[in-house]
Structures are given as C-alpha cells and as structure tokens.
Amino acid sequence: MESNEAREVQIPVSKKKSWSELKNVVCELRRQLSGLSTMVPGSLTFRTLPDGRTRIYFLSTPANGWETTLLCADVPPVASHGHRLAWTPVIEANFQSLSGAGRFSREEQLLWERKRLATWGITSYELHRESGKLVFPAASSLFQCLDTGFGPLFPAELRMNSCGAKLNPQICPSNPDLVAYVCDCDIWVSHTLTGCSVRLTFAHKGGRNMADDPLSAGLPSYVMQEEFSRYQGYWWQPRTPGDTLASGMSDYGPDGVYRILYEEVDESDVKIFCFPSSNSNLGEIEEFRFPRAGTPNSQSNLKLVQFILREGPQIVDVSTLELQYPLSVMFPWMEYLVRVGWTPNAD
C-alpha cells in the first residue's frame, strides 16, 4: 500500500558557472558570430580600371583566413546570368599578422562595439576611384596602397607625427595625396607623399580629467553612433564639375582652398561613469560618458576648417569658420544632428 505522505520533488539546479567558464562560453559565442558575420561581403565599392575592367571592392574573410580583409572581384565584359565572380585578395596575406602585432587601442575597440563588429582585421577602407589609392586604419595607424589593377599589394604605413589611434580616415576628393583623420578627438590632415601632418582643430585639450575636457571635433556623439549608425563626423568639400584633380604641390578649384565641414560635440552635460579597466589587471579605472535615459544628451554644432597647400608641400593658412549663431540658438527644439553633407555643387 502506497504511503499518502507528500513526496518531495527535487528540481535539478544547473551548476553555477565560474568566471573562467563564462568567459569560455562568451568566446565560443563570439567565434560563432564572427564566422556568420564574415560570410557575407560588406562595404562594396565599384571602380572602373584604366583598362576598362569593372572592379568591385569589398570586406570579407577569405576561405582559409580568420581576419577580415580587403578583397575584390572583376566583372567580365560579358557575363551570363548567375555567373559567380572569383574573389581575389587586394592585400598581401602576411600583412594581417604584421598589422595586428600590437594591441588594439581603446578608441578602436569602442568603435567596433558601436558598429556591432564581431571580427577584427581590416574593418573599413577608403577608395579614391580616379587614382586607385586605398587607405585604411589598422593597429591604431593608417596604411595606404595604390591599386593599378594588378596585385596583391603590400600597404605602406603613412608617415604621421600625431600620437594616438588614427580613426575614420578620408581621402580628399580633389587631391588623393591629402588624407584627413581623427586623432585624440581632433581632426588632422597629412600629405601622404611627404609626411607633413597638421592638426586642424583644437577642440580637445588632452588632459587627464575627463570632466574638464568635454569637446571633440570630427567624432559623432555616442547617441549618433549607437542609435543612428552615423560614424562620420567630418566631410571634405567635394569636387565641383570645373575642378581638375590636384596632385603633389598643385592647388585646385577656383580659389585653391581646401575645406572640411565638421561636427563639434560638447558633452559637458553628459554624466561620467567609472568602470574597471578591461585591459588591465592592476585595478585601473576607465571613465566613460554615457547619456542615460532621461538625462541630457550632448550638444552639436557645425564648423568649417580650411587651409591652403603651398610648395614644399606645406599646409598653411589654417582657419576655422563658425556659424553666426550656434545651432542650439537657431533651432532650440533640435535634439539630434542626424545627417550632414554638402550640396552637389559644393557651394
């Protein structure tokens, strides 16, 4: 006869994982996501080569590789429907191991997180279609190469005298020898042939105290990157129909002036949070500005910096132009500066 006493039901409880086990789980998930995200080509750009071929540049992972790199595919003059293009590397295979020898900077890691990138390697690039110049960031520096239609190529590091991670490079549309980039929250420009580098903006002081250094130039705010997927914070003046492509020491355009429109971000009202450093075991603390829900966001304003290229070549006569009234005064209801650009004629 069965007992009428209530039986105790034991529910199996999963074993609590240790920190090392959780780390292994996260690494495995990241590896799986990395494999999925690199299967599809991204950042496609079309270019017509001097011999008439159409070349497609894109970022992906080669069949026998594990880092994202720059690849290309040439479109044949006559292609049948459903024709599969052959992928070929633009960059030498051993360049990846050389460029990734150093540790990635904090600025690069934060940018990858906001772009939702689960890979590493070459994650962005700039192409000047007329000249074939390629510029891309890697290992906190910038590299360049010239695609003449035959490769693969081994990039050369740009000579620059600025310290810190170089982010978001952009080639001047009217002179491929000029490359602008963001370094330590300010905009710099370098002449790729001579290595002449000039700091164009002076918004950031570079002090140790983040609370006393709220301004940045050429970098979108956290909300713009996280919620609106805008990672560009400055824009070269485009070529106008009457401009000729400049090179070396030549000026261009009707007035010979190079111009960059940029966003200056003021994060004075954004609260600062402190977190343990993920790159150190010494108990160091890192500071981040984070606009929590219901708290003030950063303020944006538009400015324009211009300069002239003299013989040498030397970048001279740098000046900054501002609006008569800040955007916050002209548009007090403005919350976000979502998109910025030049008119087609660059007027």
Side-chain angles (χ1 to χ4, degrees):
M1 183 175 180
E2 295 184 0
S3 173
N4 293 328
E5 295 180 359
R7 295 182 179 179
E8 182 179 356
V9 179
Q10 294 184 352
I11 301 176
V13 180
S14 59
K15 179 184 176 182
K16 188 176 181 180
K17 296 183 181 296
S18 64
W19 283 111
S20 60
E21 291 174 330
L22 288 174
K23 182 179 180 181
N24 292 334
V25 172
V26 172
C27 290
E28 175 61 21
L29 178 60
R30 189 178 182 90
R31 186 191 66 80
Q32 296 177 9
L33 291 175
S34 175
L36 292 174
S37 62
T38 57
M39 293 173 62
V40 180
S43 303
L44 278 72
T45 308
F46 290 79
R47 177 186 173 224
T48 301
L49 300 178
D51 58 7
R53 286 179 293 164
T54 298
R55 172 160 291 184
I56 307 174
Y57 300 87
F58 56 92
L59 296 175
S60 188
T61 302
N64 57 346
W66 56 278
E67 287 188 4
T68 304
T69 187
L70 183 59
L71 304 171
C72 68
D74 290 338
V75 181
V78 179
S80 59
H81 180 70
H83 178 78
R84 187 170 184 175
L85 302 178
W87 295 11
T88 57
V90 178
I91 307 298
E92 286 277 3
N94 62 339
F95 171 78
Q96 299 289 77
S97 59
L98 296 177
S99 63
R103 296 181 64 182
F104 299 114
S105 65
R106 169 186 169 182
E107 293 85 353
E108 289 174 303
Q109 293 176 4
L110 290 175
L111 183 60
W112 293 347
E113 289 179 6
R114 292 168 187 174
K115 287 185 175 182
R116 303 295 192 270
L117 294 177
T119 62
W120 54 89
I122 300 176
T123 58
S124 65
Y125 69 96
E126 277 284 306
L127 169 66
H128 190 267
R129 287 182 173 86
E130 290 87 345
S131 65
K133 172 172 283 190
L134 292 159
V135 175
F136 58 89
S140 301
S141 188
L142 299 180
F143 295 84
Q144 66 173 346
C145 55
L146 187 65
D147 184 17
T148 58
F150 305 95
L153 312 170
F154 195 89
E157 186 173 3
L158 269 67
R159 291 180 293 169
M160 297 168 288
N161 56 14
S162 54
C163 298
K166 286 75 176 175
L167 305 175
N168 303 335
Q170 292 187 42
I171 304 173
C172 176
S174 301
N175 189 341
D177 294 335
L178 293 174
V179 174
Y181 55 92
V182 176
C183 181
D184 196 19
C185 299
D186 270 303
I187 301 174
W188 291 66
V189 65
S190 292
H191 195 282
T192 58
L193 298 181
T194 65
C196 173
S197 301
V198 172
R199 181 179 177 181
L200 298 180
T201 63
F202 293 85
H204 200 66
K205 301 175 184 177
R208 286 183 171 271
N209 191 351
M210 179 177 285
D212 298 332
D213 208 357
L215 297 181
S216 64
L219 286 175
S221 66
Y222 173 86
V223 173
M224 281 298 102
Q225 298 182 50
E226 187 73 15
E227 304 296 340
F228 294 90
S229 299
R230 176 168 69 83
Y231 310 101
Q232 183 176 346
Y234 68 96
W235 302 264
W236 280 101
Q237 180 182 10
R239 288 179 61 190
T240 58
D243 290 345
T244 57
L245 186 64
S247 180
M249 298 178 294
S250 303
D251 291 334
Y252 86 98
D255 56 2
V257 180
Y258 295 88
R259 298 180 177 88
I260 297 177
L261 177 68
Y262 69 93
E263 177 186 14
E264 185 178 85
V265 176
D266 185 353
E267 296 184 308
S268 300
D269 298 330
V270 180
K271 189 174 180 180
I272 298 176
F273 293 88
C274 299
F275 298 93
S277 175
S278 59
N279 297 324
S280 175
N281 297 323
L282 302 178
E284 296 181 2
I285 299 297
E286 291 183 341
E287 293 182 323
F288 297 90
R289 290 187 183 270
F290 181 74
R292 296 181 61 183
T295 61
N297 289 317
S298 59
Q299 298 291 325
S300 294
N301 198 25
L302 289 177
K303 295 185 178 182
L304 188 144
V305 61
Q306 59 185 19
F307 62 90
I308 297 175
L309 191 63
R310 297 292 189 192
E311 291 187 3
Q314 295 293 324
I315 300 169
V316 297
D317 296 343
V318 179
S319 60
T320 302
L321 305 179
E322 302 184 28
L323 298 171
Q324 184 176 5
Y325 302 101
L327 292 177
S328 58
V329 174
M330 293 190 291
F331 309 102
W333 43 263
M334 184 188 77
E335 186 70 22
Y336 302 118
L337 187 62
V338 180
R339 295 288 180 265
V340 181
W342 290 79
T343 59
N345 293 328
D347 295 333

